[in-house]
Amino acid sequence: MGLPTSGAEVVSAAEVPARTDGQVTVPEHCLVTAEVFPVDPDAPSILLEVALPARWNGKAVWFGGGGFDGVIPDVTGNSLNTLAPTPLARGYAVFASDGGHQSTAATPGTDASALANEEAYRNWLSDAPKKVRDVAGHVIRTYYGVDAARFYAVGSSTGGREALFATARFPADWDGAVVLYPARNVVSTMVGLTAMVQALSAPGAFPSAAKRKLVWDAVLAECDALDGLTDGVVGDVVSCNARFDVTALRCAGGEDTGDGCLSDAQIQAFEAIDAPVRIASPLANGDTEFPGYNVYSAAQGVGTDSPLEPLVQSVDLGSSAPSFPVDPLTNAFAAAFVDSFMRHVVVRDPSFDYRTFDVKTFGPHAARVQELSALDVGDADMGGFAARGGKLLMLHGTGDMLTSPRTTERYVEDVRASIGAAAADAMLRYYEVPGFQHAASTVFQVSWDGLGALERWVETGEDPGDDEVVTDLAGVAGRTRPLCRYPTFARYRGTGDPDDAASFACAAP
């Protein structure tokens, strides 16, 4: 094993017969569970599963986790709402882990309590995928008698960060990765989330669903047609951010006089979420700011009747102002993430009110913040991965209010600066999807077979370029758009079916 552990063992192995759940067929497979033991006896183990199909295609895929992990993703399942067959159904050996700890919380992905242990934190941050990859590789080789010919990584949010670290640090382990809205640069991301929940916690600042709809309607009036089509999606986000002025919605006198306008406190909250958070002293990883969020390009829970609306509200601003203790039913996930991270990982005081944290200087916790930030390095060092011919597909929704697409844009710029434009262009394709938020959206709910695109690129040399198509499952179910390489976006050609990707061309802002 490539990183220090106290060894690993298979816990169980069971043959699972084929079955059909609704329209999904789970093929016959052997399900292996295993445990990776820590070096620190006080740290939790890493639990993992490997699904070994009876009809194996000779390849393996790893699924990343989400939030603070704590549970094992379903190795018989799929990723990102895709309508394509599951990797297991395609013949892949599939493996995943709990990220290095086991949570019994009602919402395990928001529970950082185990990460107070340093080894557990490093496992969650970056180390677990390597340890799990080595164990899974051994299990696959033992079961089939040969090594897997290809290893792919598929991860979103936390899983996306894990995949970036895995491919950068251990490039020989991986042939390619699909990375969706990665939660990277953990410390600066937590600073950004903290600044956002603090802005929303100010007296009178939290905007109701009606207030958010007011803003969204105003954004659409100003920006919807910038991409050539009035379709309820802000395609040209860059131009929209430059021209939309939230102060035009100000109530007379700045006081809250109803749902038809915004108070000064609410305007200040929106402006704070959009703006960068400047850090007094550079973080150990080099960050000097968190770049803010595209708050005006997302319908942040405006009260639609979509079944996705509760999830959208949770991953955006929530339905009530951030509180302490956190209300898991009405507060945004951002509040839950920041609360648990600050109490257990940074301050290490269960009674600490996350809303009081100093996001500019970090106050008495500055040394601890720098210590954690020093671990947020290396995921952009993709020289080895590029040199071996590895391929990286990345996707982020422009309206993501948990992991800002602006941080992913900077990641792409860092990779290009690190290994050069030519090497980056041979290795990396990054797409932004207007209207998509964090895993869910009532505007444009993404379905995309990223694994299929990665397979074709790695195995046949078929560059996805601007030829990939993404399908909307919720905003206008069934409509398609081209995936355009950042910084371009899909502009309507002026003729043709507005719900057909063929009617759009990728254009610069």
Side-chain angles (χ1 to χ4, degrees), residues 77-103:
N78 225 330
S79 65
L80 191 63
N81 320 310
T82 180
L83 303 179
T86 67
L88 187 63
R90 300 187 213 190
Y92 277 94
V94 184
F95 59 101
S97 82
D98 60 8
H101 65 98
Q102 302 76 51
S103 175

Side-chain angles (χ1 to χ4, degrees), residues 450-474:
L451 179 58
L454 182 65
E455 280 181 321
R456 293 188 293 273
W457 197 14
V458 170
E459 298 171 21
T460 70
E462 183 182 337
D463 185 346
D466 295 324
D467 297 326
E468 287 294 299
V469 171
V470 65
T471 301
D472 182 8
L473 300 180

Side-chain angles (χ1 to χ4, degrees), residues 7 42 45 144 150 173 214 250 287 330 336 339 405 468:
D42 293 328
S45 294
Y144 294 113
R150 304 280 187 189
D173 286 352
L214 173 74
R250 184 175 184 261
D287 281 353
T330 64
D339 169 62
E468 287 294 299

